[in-house]
Structures are given as structure tokens and as C-alpha cells.
Amino acid sequence: MTKPEALKKLEEEIAADASLPLRESNLVFGEGNPDSEVMFIGEGPGFDEDRQKRPFVGRSGQLLRKNLRALGWKEESVYITNIVKRRPPGNRDPLPDEIAAYEPYLEKQIEIIKPKIIVALGRFAMNYFLPDAKISRDRGKIFRFKDFLVYPVYHPAAALRSTAVLGEMEDDLKKLPQIIEKADKLLAETKPEPPRVKESKIKQEKLF
Ligand code: URA
């Protein structure tokens, strides 16, 4: 099965899974290049994403996409998705049970794409991989997780609320081409994090 076929099948499985929470909202599966070395993962769809059934198309999405274009990248050259695939009512934070319910699908999505780097946008995406990390402390650091690197960056919605955060988010995103260049070396030189466990005391190693 090709990657696009595998992703299509996965999307159909999510759509058909009546046990999933938030089913009153539209499915926002993810989009972009299935062969991308970089995968951007946000928290969950907002109002505009729910309407358009596409990730990161509202104000924060436009800011993210502008920063990708500033790198000389085409938006469609990367893959973009979220932890939770449907909008929580009123844009509230996703609940732990909701994150857990969508987890098997996100895991499969990552397995299909096989990115070298996951850019975790904001604390929910970051804590999905690195439960003990703090966004203000750990954004812009590179962590090894399974067979990919995790790079936490401030969520663009936070950057829209603070010029200081905006500057830091933009600085971190600007480093991506350099990190991609080093990704194979970093992956070859380092060991994966131990499996993610709740309330873990995983030692998080700064690589770069
Ligand atoms: N915020 C997110 O975390 N994801 C989106 O898709 C849009 C806004």
C-alpha cells in the first residue's frame, strides 16, 4: 500500500469509529506531503479548521504557514496535523481522555509518514511526547523520541498574543532547515527516549 493509500484508509477508519469523542465536530485528519521529513503537530482544530476540515487554516495557521513560506518551503511540502482530530467545543483544551482516544490514530499516522522531525506546536503536542517538558524552558530544544526527533516550539496562537513569544517562535522555526540537515546524524548518535509513561520521570536530554 502506498503512503497516500494508507493515510486514506486511516482517515476512513477514524471517520467510522463511533467510539471517538467530539464527534459533533468535523474530522480534521491532516494534510500535506506524506513523504515529508517534517511533521507539524498542533493541539486540535479550532473554529476555522472545523469549518474547512483542514488543519491550521485560521489566524494561527496563517501565521504558521507564513513562517514556513519564509523558509522558502511550500506549505504543501510538509505534513500538518493535530493531536485531537476534532474541535473541542468552544476551543477548550482537549481533555486527557480525548487525547488518549485519538492516540492510536496519531501513532499510525506517524508510522505511515515516518518523519525525521516532529515539530510539536505548543504544550499539548509537546507533552504528548514529553510529559515532563515545559514549553517556556524546552521550546527550541531537540529531543529524541522513538525513531524521530521532537522539536517543541511555541504554539502560533500564543505567538499571536505576545510579541516576545512571536519572536521566539519565529527564531525556533528558522532553525528547522539546519536541524533537518543534522537529523540523520543526531538520530544515529542518540538513543530513543524510554516509552512514554504517565507522570514519567523520563530524563530529557538536550541534543542540540
Ligand atoms: N490550533 C491547533 O492546535 N490546530 C489547528 O489546526 C488550528 C489551531
Side-chain angles (χ1 to χ4, degrees), residues 179-197:
I179 296 169
I180 293 172
E181 234 170 74
K182 294 193 180 185
D184 284 335
K185 191 163 171 279
L186 288 173
L187 286 166
E189 281 171 357
T190 56
K191 287 206 183 77
E193 298 267 340
R196 183 163 48 86
V197 284

Side-chain angles (χ1 to χ4, degrees), residues 42-46 49 54-57 60 82 155:
E43 178 181 318
E49 289 75 21
R54 294 180 59 206
F56 283 99
V57 290
S60 61
N82 283 298
H155 195 286

Side-chain angles (χ1 to χ4, degrees), residues 67-189:
N67 273 272
L68 300 185
R69 290 193 300 271
L71 296 173
W73 293 358
K74 292 206 167 87
E75 294 165 36
E76 59 279 14
S77 70
V78 300
Y79 195 88
I80 307 178
T81 190
N82 283 298
I83 299 279
V84 160
K85 311 288 191 209
R86 290 191 178 88
R87 180 191 183 213
N91 288 356
R92 66 156 167 74
D93 292 342
L95 302 172
D97 281 359
E98 291 163 352
I99 294 173
Y102 283 91
E103 176 174 342
Y105 293 108
L106 178 62
E107 296 290 312
K108 279 193 204 153
Q109 208 173 14
I110 295 170
E111 259 171 49
I112 295 167
I113 305 221
K114 296 199 193 335
K116 287 185 185 166
I117 302 161
I118 289 184
V119 180
L121 295 163
R123 82 187 155 92
F124 280 92
M126 177 191 66
N127 288 146
Y128 177 86
F129 299 102
L130 308 162
D132 298 327
K134 300 236 177 317
I135 193 78
S136 55
R137 183 190 66 200
D138 295 321
R139 59 100 196 157
K141 297 181 188 169
I142 303 171
F143 299 87
R144 169 73 187 263
F145 189 85
K146 291 189 185 166
D147 50 355
F148 50 83
L149 304 171
V150 175
Y151 185 54
V153 169
Y154 276 122
H155 195 286
L160 286 171
R161 293 191 292 266
S162 151
T163 45
V165 170
L166 173 66
E168 291 181 324
M169 183 196 76
E170 293 191 330
D171 286 348
D172 291 343
L173 291 175
K174 274 184 205 144
K175 293 188 187 134
L176 272 172
Q178 202 187 330
I179 296 169
I180 293 172
E181 234 170 74
K182 294 193 180 185
D184 284 335
K185 191 163 171 279
L186 288 173
L187 286 166
E189 281 171 357

